[in-house]
Amino acid sequence: MTSFNFAAWPPQLTPEQLEALTLAATTYALSHGLLYLPPSQSPSNTQPRIPTTAIHAPLSLIPAPFPRAQFQAARGLQSVYNVLYARVAMDTKFLDTVMGAEEGVGKADEFTGTLWRGWKRIREHGVPAQPLHLGLFRSDYMLHAAEDRLALKQVEFNTISSSFGPLSERVAAMHRNILASTSYFSASPHLTADNFPENSTTSGLVEGLVKAHEAYGVGDARILFVVQPNERNVFDQRWLEYELLEKHQIHVVRQTLADLAVSASLNPSTCALTITIPSPTNTSPYEISTIYFRASYTPSDFPTPSYYDTRFLLERSRAIKCPSLPLQLAGGKKVQEALTRPGVLERFLSNEGAKWGTRALDLTAHAEDIRATWMSMWALDSEDTDISAALDHFPAPGQGQGNVPPGTRLAHLKAPSLVLKPQREGGGNNVYREAIPAFLDTLPAEEREAWIAMEMIETPRGVNGYLVRASPSSSGSDNGNTEKKVVRAEVISELGFFGYALFGEGEVVEREVGWLVRTKGTDSNEGGVAAGFSVLDSVVLV
């Protein structure tokens, strides 16, 4: 284990120093687009069409300590993960088995099943209009303190709407600026420029979008951002849009699924997707090269069946999807669990017989390193022999438990060290520790297949941080004023690495492109900044 004393972090600051750092952080954030829209003050929770105010994103005053070796290990694994999930998305039979509505998790999870059935109908219609897929990925990790050492453990792998790249780049820049301007009052020898890694996530994510746009081959086509209505995290998206236009002369069209129900159409012969937006200056339709989804990952994005129709229309188009439906399904928690089963990971990493193409890499040498990042996990409906063997270490089941699958019984018995995960993105969906037994007791048997159990990552104890939130004025007036509040709290930090992959014909074009850190209080189980559970952070390497 690193000799760094996590329990002694952060360094002590006087009230005057803390106030100076808070002023430096919040003014930097407000000056550099590290922003959110404020919560809506309207009864319908809608955002104004033209914003008049913004608040800084929730942030940390001092970067989170993270061992240099584990940071570099996560960076080195990102390219392997990029290729792994590209290959999963191209294995139709595997996705049908694991995520499908006929023999997979889609039987128990209606949202997953609806997406899969839409994808299946498109496949049955003939050869896809667009063989290429684009993934903008993020692999999330925490430090696991076990057996007197720290191990890098994966929380999840995100294949859709992997957010906070641009804002995380700006948090890292903010911390470097505070270091340059205040030296953090020489409060810690660890707070030096050499320990603050560079982060250029914005240009890296845009690089992936540009490669897809260029592969489409129509220079004046535009990139479509599919967004949620009343999005507060709009600036994280806008920074990508500005980079595309200013550095690459590529225009972006922003539309919700409701907008697209009216504006989108397919050319019946070429399947080219065009968007028509009435305006005083231009009524010509825009052809779309690439569709970047920052929506459609949660059932609430589809309030009526017509929204699914719009999503499937986009999937049928010749535009390159980020992600396509199979790539979105590949990001399911059930796939994460399935990959842990004996031999499954190795089958995807191997290129035996050139099954992934003559130029594809054989990555089986990385299998051990990838597996080392996984906590133990299993399906609630599992009847595998290793799960049954684990039950032998516990008392025999009580009356009424005989028909309960071994996977569910083991989750009941090990509940204090587990988290249960459904097939959902966006935060606020998991069930933790002591809440698990009561949840399992009421979970219908037919829904067990939609959940996995995963051992909790036990992070280093006693780490603290200074968390800064911005909230609307206590007066209740939506006039842009904010009250700043700094909370010193015991925290847990989560490191994510971004990557992109363009694939579907020949080799996978991919790269690791940057990172983020989210920090939350130990009293919060969830880690989603947009869901209100954590703050944006960066790292100091130790």
Side-chain angles (χ1 to χ4, degrees):
M1 181 180 287
T2 177
S3 60
F4 180 80
N5 184 2
F6 283 88
W9 195 262
Q12 291 296 319
L13 297 168
T14 67
E16 294 76 19
Q17 291 170 339
L18 189 61
E19 182 177 4
L21 294 180
T22 305
L23 177 62
T26 55
T27 52
Y28 184 98
L30 292 167
S31 302
H32 290 80
L34 181 47
L35 301 173
Y36 262 26
L37 291 178
S40 172
Q41 299 297 312
S42 73
S44 60
N45 200 36
T46 57
Q47 290 287 340
R49 183 171 179 83
I50 300 177
T52 58
T53 62
I55 59 176
H56 67 73
L59 51 88
S60 174
L61 274 189
I62 299 178
F66 207 91
R68 189 181 302 270
Q70 279 84 353
F71 183 88
Q72 296 298 350
R75 169 170 277 163
L77 288 175
Q78 187 60 39
S79 283
V80 183
Y81 270 116
N82 291 343
V83 175
L84 170 62
Y85 275 84
R87 291 176 178 178
V88 170
M90 291 188 288
D91 192 328
T92 300
K93 183 178 180 181
F94 176 78
L95 287 176
D96 285 349
T97 301
V98 175
M99 299 295 288
E102 294 173 0
E103 53 181 319
V105 72
K107 292 188 301 182
D109 186 282
E110 181 59 28
F111 176 61
T112 301
T114 301
L115 294 179
W116 179 84
R117 285 189 291 269
W119 175 43
K120 184 172 184 285
R121 286 194 298 270
I122 292 169
R123 284 186 275 148
E124 292 171 344
H125 212 64
V127 178
Q130 178 53 257
L132 292 176
H133 314 243
L134 175 65
L136 297 185
F137 302 138
R138 197 186 69 230
S139 185
D140 294 332
Y141 304 92
M142 287 182 178
L143 291 174
H144 181 57
E147 300 176 359
D148 199 35
R149 67 184 184 91
L150 292 177
L152 184 74
K153 294 295 183 180
Q154 188 183 63
V155 179
E156 63 182 358
F157 191 89
N158 302 275
T159 65
I160 184 169
S161 190
S162 302
S163 58
F164 294 112
L167 292 195
S168 293
E169 177 180 334
R170 282 155 180 80
V171 174
M174 179 198 75
H175 285 149
R176 288 195 300 273
N177 178 270
I178 294 174
L179 177 67
S181 62
T182 71
S183 300
Y184 278 101
F185 303 105
S186 301
S188 169
H190 296 285
L191 294 170
T192 65
D194 290 344
N195 294 331
F196 283 47
E198 290 289 331
N199 194 8
S200 55
T201 307
T202 305
S203 62
L205 293 173
V206 164
E207 180 182 307
L209 290 166
V210 170
K211 285 190 179 296
H213 176 83
E214 292 174 347
Y216 185 82
V218 177
D220 62 352
R222 301 192 172 200
I223 293 178
L224 171 65
F225 282 22
V226 182
V227 299
Q228 293 173 321
N230 304 307
E231 174 66 77
R232 292 183 58 213
N233 189 27
V234 64
F235 301 102
D236 186 60
Q237 302 167 10
R238 289 289 189 183
W239 282 118
L240 298 174
E241 177 183 339
Y242 303 152
E243 180 96 358
L244 282 164
L245 182 61
E246 294 166 8
K247 299 291 179 62
H248 304 278
Q249 295 74 56
I250 300 173
H251 289 263
V252 166
V253 179
R254 292 174 58 86
Q255 296 270 276
T256 64
L257 285 173
D259 295 333
L260 290 164
V262 177
S263 65
S265 60
L266 296 188
N267 183 300
S269 58
T270 68
C271 289
L273 173 67
T274 57
I275 306 296
T276 302
I277 304 175
S279 75
T281 58
N282 181 37
T283 57
S284 300
Y286 301 119
E287 184 170 353
I288 299 300
S289 68
T290 307
I291 307 171
Y292 175 43
F293 287 97
R294 292 293 291 255
S296 83
Y297 56 82
T298 181
S300 61
D301 286 337
F302 299 90
T304 69
S306 66
Y307 284 73
Y308 287 105
D309 295 338
T310 301
R311 174 65 185 88
F312 299 147
L313 179 142
L314 299 178
E315 190 71 18
R316 295 199 310 272
S317 77
R318 192 164 66 88
I320 297 172
K321 273 70 70 176
C322 180
S324 60
L325 281 173
L327 186 53
Q328 180 173 350
L329 292 170
K333 304 302 185 293
K334 192 73 168 184
V335 169
Q336 185 183 15
E337 181 270 324
L339 287 171
T340 69
R341 299 173 192 169
V344 177
L345 171 67
E346 289 75 10
R347 180 171 70 81
F348 282 107
L349 295 184
S350 168
N351 194 36
E352 183 178 356
K355 60 185 175 183
W356 303 112
T358 56
R359 300 176 61 186
L361 298 174
D362 189 303
L363 299 171
T364 50
H366 299 280
E368 184 177 345
D369 291 336
I370 291 288
R371 284 193 177 277
T373 66
W374 294 339
M375 298 296 289
S376 174
M377 63 186 82
W378 63 90
L380 288 187
D381 64 330
S382 175
E383 297 186 1
D384 291 349
T385 55
D386 58 336
I387 300 298
S388 298
L391 286 171
D392 292 340
H393 299 287
F394 295 91
Q399 187 174 3
Q401 291 289 307
N403 294 326
V404 176
T408 300
R409 287 164 50 200
L410 187 61
H412 221 299
L413 293 165
K414 299 189 69 173
S417 64
L418 297 181
V419 54
L420 303 184
K421 295 184 175 185
Q423 312 306 305
R424 291 290 179 273
E425 303 296 334
N429 301 298
N430 298 337
V431 181
Y432 292 86
R433 300 188 191 269
E434 288 76 13
I436 289 175
F439 174 80
L440 291 177
D441 289 343
T442 58
L443 182 67
E446 64 272 14
E447 294 183 18
R448 290 172 182 147
E449 190 173 1
W451 292 79
I452 69 167
M454 175 176 158
E455 293 276 0
M456 286 287 290
I457 301 170
E458 302 295 349
T459 56
R461 300 289 182 90
V463 187
N464 280 258
Y466 292 108
L467 311 183
V468 184
R469 296 182 179 274
S471 57
S473 170
S474 57
S475 67
S477 61
D478 189 16
N479 60 7
N481 293 325
T482 57
E483 295 177 337
K484 308 300 187 299
K485 185 174 183 180
V486 182
V487 178
R488 181 184 169 111
E490 187 173 351
V491 296
I492 297 169
S493 293
E494 185 172 321
L495 171 71
F497 265 92
F498 290 95
Y500 73 77
L502 181 65
F503 61 95
E505 287 185 329
E507 65 180 318
V508 177
V509 178
E510 60 79 28
R511 191 166 75 84
E512 173 270 313
V513 297
W515 49 272
L516 68 71
V517 177
R518 291 168 296 174
T519 293
K520 62 185 180 182
T522 55
D523 57 349
S524 171
N525 283 316
E526 298 286 352
V529 179
F533 297 112
S534 61
V535 304
L536 293 171
D537 204 344
S538 72
V539 294
V540 53
L541 299 179
V542 297

